[in-house]
Amino acid sequence: MNKDEGTQKDRTTSGFEHTFNRLEAVAQKLETGGLTLDEAMDLYEEGINLARECSEHLNQTELRIADLQTSFSAYTSSLTSAPPENPDADR
């Protein structure tokens, strides 16, 4: 992994963590109550947007994991498969 990949991974993780933490804070405020209808609606809308963002992060991560598994499976298959037969080798 090069420096740029590590930095991108850190941003993705911290971005998800930040978004998830903000979503938890929004949910806490809504559960606590004592808000005006407008405040509650604003928080609810923010919560929906944050939940969507978290879901997108998780979907992207799931796709990356699937790609890595496929790549690793292909790699290990190539190591364990028999070499192709050469029909001219017996002549």
Side-chain angles (χ1 to χ4, degrees):
M1 176 174 16
N2 67 34
K3 183 180 177 184
D4 291 336
E5 288 172 345
T7 303
Q8 181 180 8
K9 184 193 291 186
D10 293 342
R11 267 185 275 152
T12 301
T13 302
S14 66
F16 175 80
E17 295 295 330
H18 173 76
T19 303
F20 188 77
N21 290 336
R22 179 66 188 138
L23 178 58
E24 284 183 321
V26 166
Q28 181 79 29
K29 283 182 183 178
L30 287 169
E31 289 172 356
T32 301
L35 303 168
T36 67
L37 181 58
D38 287 340
E39 291 170 334
M41 277 305 303
D42 288 345
L43 281 173
Y44 182 79
E45 184 176 4
E46 181 182 358
I48 292 295
N49 290 331
L50 292 167
R52 184 178 298 122
E53 194 174 326
C54 284
S55 180
E56 289 172 4
H57 277 289
L58 293 172
N59 287 338
Q60 290 172 358
T61 300
E62 188 176 350
L63 289 173
R64 286 183 61 206
I65 289 170
D67 287 346
L68 289 169
Q69 288 173 331
T70 300
S71 173
F72 183 72
S73 180
Y75 170 74
T76 56
S77 262
S78 72
L79 294 177
T80 58
S81 63
E85 292 183 24
N86 186 351
D88 295 332
D90 294 335
R91 293 184 190 176

